[in-house]
Amino acid sequence: EEAKEEAKEEAAQKHARLASQSSLQTAMGRKSALVENAYAFALKQQEVMTRSAASGDELVSEEESVERVEQLLREEARADRQ
């Protein structure tokens, strides 16, 4: 009887560890995707700012570059949906 209780407790602990690991992996996966998207956005923003400087136009502010990148992403999303 005592052995059965120990086995049940051990199984419950193992299940809790697996659930915790799975939850952590899912959270890390989401975090990884967010970081990847943020990095891609930053690269596009840098490209917009660099292109502006290279073309001799007035320098683009960080705020304006964010707006331009958001516009580019909206246009890409529209093109992908079509």
Side-chain angles (χ1 to χ4, degrees), residues 1-73:
E1 191 66 32
E2 192 174 312
K4 285 183 182 179
E5 288 300 316
E6 286 179 12
K8 282 183 184 178
E9 186 175 322
E10 191 175 309
Q13 289 175 351
K14 184 176 180 180
H15 177 72
R17 277 194 310 274
L18 290 175
S20 175
Q21 289 172 351
S22 175
S23 175
L24 179 61
Q25 288 171 347
T26 301
M28 289 302 290
R30 278 186 293 227
K31 187 174 186 179
S32 177
L34 286 173
V35 169
E36 186 178 320
N37 289 339
Y39 184 72
F41 189 96
L43 288 177
K44 283 184 184 279
Q45 184 182 7
Q46 182 181 24
E47 185 181 325
V48 165
M49 293 176 85
T50 303
R51 246 190 276 140
S52 169
S55 68
D57 293 340
E58 187 176 320
L59 291 178
V60 176
S61 70
E62 185 175 350
E63 189 175 301
E64 189 176 350
S65 66
V66 168
E67 291 172 10
R68 287 186 185 183
V69 171
E70 288 174 342
Q71 179 63 34
L72 288 170
L73 293 174

